[in-house]
């Protein structure tokens, strides 16, 4: 018997995409999504492993999505277009905020929400990461998931500036708490040198969610250290071009190379090593949407316990000097193809 979530996916009547990655979320084909009054495609990528999933949601020019509320969490990244979202608790005041390409926000759990396309001549497109598989399969009762009137005031108190207020620093490395990021492409990032020279990042806590987000950027001619953790991190490229390598421990000969550019997404499977390479002429930047909130930890191997510590010391990271020589050779070849200079420190071997 199909799990509740899988059955729900089939019932949506929209295209479903599988595999390890999608080359361009902006161009992926979408179908009519009757329940939403919009268009969409569900992504059921390999690395999601039943604990997270994603979809592309497209709103017609001048259109809106049917309002809904539910007991699974969602984080919205705006791929293209601009518009507005209205959020409210049952019986509470409606709060509306505007977004555009590059914006990021979470809808608070079980709050009503509705999306409006602000342009009459172009569609608007979101990439949405949700906890629906976990929640639907746990309760296996869609009436409970969609028609529960409990109001989580600890997530959303209806205050007027909920989506406009200034964020705040939280304890932990580079953690910023906010409910709306106007532009992920320009949000200021902070030093994270433990993951490789020149890496800067920022981690986010949104709407008291258990799902979380972070942005990472690394310079021209460099790559990050390989590492591994639990399933379901949706890595969306928001600037630059390059590739990632994905492999299971002991299966280095079966490494997968995934080329990416702005609009690509990849999801490394559970505990597979993965490593991101900037092969282009601009700093590379990605947004990761995933489990692993610092405020509300859930799974082991996703979150604070994934420290930038060498696997030789019990951590999850492969230091540059310990990596397979093939990794550096391939990188130099890829840079040479594009005429970009390698800026990685020489390996002391
Ligand atoms: Fe990762």
């Amino acid at each position: 018997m199909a799990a509740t979530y899988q059955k729900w996916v089939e019932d949506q009547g929209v295209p479903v995409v599988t595999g390890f990655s999608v080359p361009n979320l902006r161009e992926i084909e979408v179908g009519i999504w009757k329940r939403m009054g919009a268009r969409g495609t569900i992504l059921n990528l390999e690395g999601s492993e039943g604990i997270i999933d994603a979809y592309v949601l497209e709103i017609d020019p001048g259109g809106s999505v049917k309002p809904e509320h539910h007991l699974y969490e969602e984080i919205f990244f705006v791929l293209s277009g601009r518009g507005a979202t209205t959020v409210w608790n049952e019986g509470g005041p409606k709060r509306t905020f505007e977004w555009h390409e590059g914006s990021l926000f979470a809808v608070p759990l079980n709050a009503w929400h509705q999306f409006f396309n602000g342009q009459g001549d172009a569609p608007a497109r979101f990439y949405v990461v949700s906890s629906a598989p976990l929640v639907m399969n746990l309760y296996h009762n869609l009436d409970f998931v969609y028609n529960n009137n409990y109001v989580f005031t600890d997530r959303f108190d209806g205050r007027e500036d909920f989506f406009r207020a200034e964020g705040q620093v939280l304890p932990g490395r580079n953690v910023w708490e906010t409910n709306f990021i106007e532009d992920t492409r320009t949000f200021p990032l902070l030093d994270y040198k433990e993951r490789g020279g020149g890496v800067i990042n920022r981690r986010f806590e949104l709407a008291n969610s258990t799902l979380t987000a972070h942005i990472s950027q690394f310079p021209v001619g460099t790559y990050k250290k390989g590492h591994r953790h639990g399933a379901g991190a949706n890595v969306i490229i928001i600037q630059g071009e390059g590739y990632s390598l994905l492999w299971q421990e002991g299966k280095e000969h079966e490494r997968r190379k995934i080329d990416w550019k702005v609009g690509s997404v990849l999801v490394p499977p559970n505990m597979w090593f993965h490593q991101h390479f900037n092969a282009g002429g601009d700093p590379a930047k990605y947004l990761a949407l995933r489990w692993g909130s610092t405020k509300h930890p859930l799974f082991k191997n996703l979150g604070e316990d994934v420290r930038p510590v060498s696997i030789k010391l019990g951590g999850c990271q492969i230091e540059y000097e310990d990596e397979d020589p093939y990794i550096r050779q391939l990188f130099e070849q890829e840079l040479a193809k594009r005429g970009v200079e390698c800026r990685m420190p020489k390996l002391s071997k």
Side-chain angles (χ1 to χ4, degrees), residues 25-298:
L25 293 168
R26 293 171 173 187
E27 290 171 2
I28 196 173
E29 198 186 322
V30 287
I32 290 173
W33 200 338
K34 213 170 151 212
R35 189 181 67 80
M36 304 283 260
R39 291 168 204 276
T41 286
I42 294 173
L43 279 81
N44 202 196
L45 296 184
E46 197 74 30
S48 302
E49 311 207 8
I51 61 165
I52 203 166
D53 227 358
Y55 60 90
V56 169
L57 182 67
E58 186 173 288
I59 319 171
D60 287 337
S64 63
V65 182
K66 288 183 188 169
E68 63 169 7
H69 68 111
H70 41 69
L71 287 179
Y72 51 89
E73 293 183 359
E74 290 179 319
I75 298 185
F76 291 78
F77 172 63
V78 184
L79 290 166
S80 62
R82 61 182 166 79
T85 298
T86 301
V87 175
W88 69 100
N89 282 330
E90 186 73 43
K94 290 190 169 183
R95 301 302 180 204
T96 298
F97 60 98
E98 293 183 357
W99 39 259
H100 57 75
E101 185 179 325
S103 298
L104 179 75
F105 58 90
V107 168
L109 190 70
N110 214 27
W112 282 95
H113 49 282
Q114 186 170 22
F115 308 110
F116 303 89
N117 186 341
Q119 296 183 107
D121 57 356
R125 200 175 258 223
F126 292 124
Y127 186 63
V128 189
V129 167
S130 101
S131 62
L134 194 72
V135 172
M136 288 184 184
N137 290 340
L138 183 64
Y139 296 109
H140 41 87
N141 184 319
L142 293 180
D143 185 44
F144 176 72
V145 171
Y146 283 108
N147 299 311
N148 187 308
N149 287 326
Y150 185 81
V151 173
F152 291 83
T153 50
D154 54 327
R155 307 264 194 145
F156 177 57
D157 53 13
R159 69 178 183 273
E160 210 255 323
D161 65 349
F162 188 86
F163 292 99
R164 287 189 288 103
E166 176 73 0
Q168 59 171 339
V169 171
L170 287 191
R173 192 196 319 113
N174 302 347
V175 186
W176 183 253
E177 180 170 43
T178 185
N179 298 318
F180 178 69
I181 294 160
E182 192 192 337
D183 200 331
T184 50
R185 299 165 299 182
T186 54
F187 195 90
L189 306 177
L190 302 171
D191 178 70
Y192 183 27
K193 60 180 179 309
E194 296 89 339
R195 194 61 102 207
V199 176
I200 49 177
N201 88 338
R202 207 77 186 248
R203 299 153 76 197
F204 301 103
E205 296 292 332
L206 302 152
N208 256 323
S209 301
T210 317
L211 288 174
T212 188
H214 75 267
I215 297 170
S216 183
Q217 178 178 316
F218 49 116
V220 174
T222 70
Y223 61 86
K224 296 181 72 175
K225 293 176 183 175
H227 71 285
R228 64 178 175 181
H229 47 69
N234 283 248
V235 177
I236 307 143
I237 310 305
I238 58 175
Q239 183 181 296
E241 64 170 298
Y243 62 94
S244 297
L245 295 176
L246 269 54
W247 73 97
Q248 270 179 296
E249 185 168 24
K251 293 194 176 175
E252 287 73 12
H253 58 290
E254 290 178 19
R255 273 197 193 95
R256 283 171 185 273
K257 177 169 175 280
I258 295 170
D259 294 320
W260 44 252
K261 58 181 185 302
V262 174
S264 301
V265 66
L266 62 125
V267 184
N270 185 37
M271 297 312 277
W272 281 39
F273 286 109
H274 49 281
Q275 192 160 8
H276 308 301
F277 300 81
N278 183 355
D282 294 306
K285 193 184 298 210
Y286 64 76
L287 167 70
L289 305 179
R290 57 183 177 85
W291 291 110
S293 155
T294 51
K295 272 182 95 178
H296 306 288
L298 179 59

